[in-house]
């Protein structure tokens, strides 16, 4: 048996996503794991790059009704990183993200996977007593509860709001004088955690697979920096040398004034507003979370300033090679 074949095999679901690419890259770079990347399109440039680095590419779309197919794709894996793609919220009582997440977890169990790392979030329904509706959070938390009920080891990461949302979905508006208006979905001076999922998810998941007993049952935040909307704009001005100003897109009315296209889906608007109200009024993370953990295990996690310097972003619409199913903005 070769030394390569003796390395544990980790299946990465949604390998073309920012989180999935980050996890696959970190696992491969460590030299301690083999990687099986699940994707919708094996021929994409992103998957070709992973294959060149040694990943096994398997076509297995993250869609409901494919549990048997997903189980077959995970068979032989020691561990699995599981996540759901951006999912358009359904009118209550629909819970499409919960349904898909449970199918993924059950597929991993059926395949004999010994350790699941799930990309989850807080249960907004429980934390707010039903006052806020944010299914993107709550359904992930309900999947976590289901995973905890399975007879296998499980660990959980909770990523902060993404820096990249401003590049892909909440792009600043260029004014006639050349300046930029940053319409941000937060009040100006509320500290909120942010992260670059493309670089931060991988080190966190690698740490959990490297130390499975230490992280069994643990749910830990992944954060690049905690900062305010006003600080984000000020940092952008300093790094880019451009004129820019903050504008609030926090309330429903402000959100739709700056981003009218979101109004085509009422439940998407309700979710976007519910998520940010929850984060501001209750705190993005529950009080017991160790918000320093990810910076301890990954001290080089990008701050917003470092993210801007590395990306050289100057306010234009930017694509991160998102898969076709990413049809809605994912704040986290």
């Amino acid at each position: 048996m070769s030394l390569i074949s003796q390395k544990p095999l980790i299946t990465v679901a949604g390998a073309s996503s920012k989180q999935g690419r980050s996890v696959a890259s970190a696992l491969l770079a460590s030299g301690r794991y083999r990687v099986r990347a699940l994707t919708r399109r094996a021929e994409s440039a992103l998957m070709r790059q992973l294959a060149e680095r040694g990943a096994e590419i398997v076509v297995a779309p993250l869609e409901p009704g494919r549990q048997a197919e997903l189980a077959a794709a995970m068979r032989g894996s020691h561990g699995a990183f599981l996540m759901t793609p951006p999912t358009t919220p359904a009118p209550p009582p629909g819970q499409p993200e919960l349904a898909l997440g449970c199918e993924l977890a059950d597929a991993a169990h059926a395949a004999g996977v010994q350790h699941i790392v799930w990309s989850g979030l807080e249960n907004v329904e429980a934390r707010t007593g039903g006052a806020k509706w944010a299914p993107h959070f709550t359904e992930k938390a309900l999947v976590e509860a289901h995973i905890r009920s399975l007879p296998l080891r499980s660990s959980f990461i909770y990523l902060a709001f993404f820096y990249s949302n401003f590049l892909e979905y909440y792009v600043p508006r260029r004014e006639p004088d050349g300046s930029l208006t940053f319409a941000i979905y937060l009040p100006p001076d509320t500290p909120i955690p942010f992260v670059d999922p493309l670089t931060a998810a991988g080190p966190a998941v690698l740490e959990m697979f490297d130390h499975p007993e230490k992280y069994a049952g643990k749910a830990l935040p992944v954060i690049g920096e905690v900062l305010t909307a006003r600080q984000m704009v000020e940092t952008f001005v300093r790094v880019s040398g451009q004129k820019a100003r903050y504008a609030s897109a926090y309330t429903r009315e402000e959100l739709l004034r700056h981003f009218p296209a979101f109004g085509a889906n009422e439940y998407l608007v309700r979710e976007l507003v519910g998520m940010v109200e929850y984060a501001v009024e209750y705190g993005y993370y529950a009080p017991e979370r160790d918000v320093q953990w990810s910076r301890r295990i990954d001290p080089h996690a990008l701050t917003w300033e470092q993210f801007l310097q590395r990306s050289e972003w100057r306010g234009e619409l930017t694509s991160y090679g998102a898969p076709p199913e990413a049809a809605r903005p994912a704040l986290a």
Side-chain angles (χ1 to χ4, degrees):
M1 181 180 294
S2 70
L3 291 177
I4 292 177
S5 65
Q6 292 176 8
K7 296 177 183 178
L9 174 63
I10 307 296
T11 290
V12 176
S16 60
S17 69
K18 299 180 192 70
Q19 292 185 61
R21 277 181 277 163
S22 181
V23 170
S25 294
L27 293 170
L28 289 169
S30 76
R32 296 188 289 277
Y33 300 94
R34 293 176 292 141
V35 169
R36 181 177 293 159
L38 305 190
T39 183
R40 179 183 297 273
R41 295 190 300 119
E43 73 280 3
S44 72
L46 297 174
M47 291 303 100
R48 289 199 302 271
Q49 291 168 8
L50 278 181
E52 290 170 359
R53 297 180 59 188
E56 175 190 357
I57 310 300
V58 175
V59 175
L62 300 188
E63 297 175 348
R66 294 179 177 266
Q67 185 173 322
E69 183 180 340
L70 289 165
M74 289 188 238
R75 195 156 291 123
S77 300
H78 167 78
F81 170 70
L82 303 182
M83 57 165 289
T84 44
T87 304
T88 302
Q95 295 181 306
E97 200 161 355
L98 171 60
L100 176 56
C102 288
E103 285 191 24
L104 268 169
D106 290 344
H109 179 225
V113 170
Q114 299 176 44
H115 186 184
I116 288 174
V117 177
W118 168 251
S119 180
L121 287 169
E122 301 285 3
N123 189 325
V124 171
E125 176 78 17
R127 285 201 69 207
T128 69
K132 303 298 178 184
W133 190 70
H136 175 59
F137 279 62
T138 298
E139 291 181 42
K140 282 179 167 60
L142 295 175
V143 174
E144 175 181 329
H146 176 69
I147 291 172
R148 289 181 181 275
S149 74
L150 299 175
L152 46 72
R153 180 180 285 123
S154 55
S155 310
F156 309 90
I157 59 169
Y158 295 177
L159 270 72
F161 282 146
F162 293 176
Y163 297 140
S164 52
N165 283 316
F166 300 108
L167 286 66
E168 295 186 288
Y169 304 112
Y170 298 87
V171 183
R173 183 177 69 248
R174 184 73 65 178
E175 304 295 352
D177 65 358
S179 67
L180 290 167
T181 296
F182 270 77
I184 298 181
Y185 47 80
L186 296 164
D189 298 310
T190 302
I192 294 290
F194 282 87
V195 73
D196 173 29
L198 195 58
T199 57
V205 173
L206 175 63
E207 170 77 6
M208 289 179 164
F209 280 128
D210 276 349
H211 306 284
E213 294 183 0
K214 179 179 180 180
Y215 294 109
K218 297 291 181 64
L220 289 157
V222 180
I223 300 170
E225 184 176 14
V226 176
L227 71 171
T228 68
R230 194 189 306 275
Q231 289 171 333
M232 297 191 84
V233 177
E234 291 171 349
T235 301
F236 174 82
V237 170
R238 184 172 66 253
V239 173
S240 71
Q242 298 190 76
K243 292 182 179 180
R245 71 175 187 89
Y246 162 86
S248 176
Y250 177 58
T251 68
R252 175 191 173 90
E253 293 74 20
E254 291 168 336
L255 177 71
L256 291 178
R257 182 166 69 251
H258 289 288
F259 304 103
F262 290 159
N265 186 322
E266 170 60 21
Y267 289 97
L268 173 60
V269 173
R270 285 180 54 189
E271 179 183 38
L272 296 178
V273 172
M275 279 195 288
V276 296
E277 288 182 347
Y278 155 76
V280 170
E281 296 175 27
Y282 294 83
Y284 189 95
Y285 293 113
E288 68 271 18
R289 304 294 177 204
D290 182 357
V291 295
Q292 301 300 322
W293 173 76
S294 63
R295 296 290 305 189
R296 289 198 302 272
I297 62 103
D298 181 22
H300 301 295
L302 297 182
T303 63
W304 172 237
E305 182 168 353
Q306 291 167 336
F307 174 83
L308 291 173
Q309 291 169 339
R310 177 178 289 195
S311 66
E312 299 183 339
W313 181 61
R314 295 297 181 265
E316 69 280 4
L317 175 66
T318 303
S319 171
Y320 276 77
E325 62 264 31
R328 59 173 295 280
L331 293 185

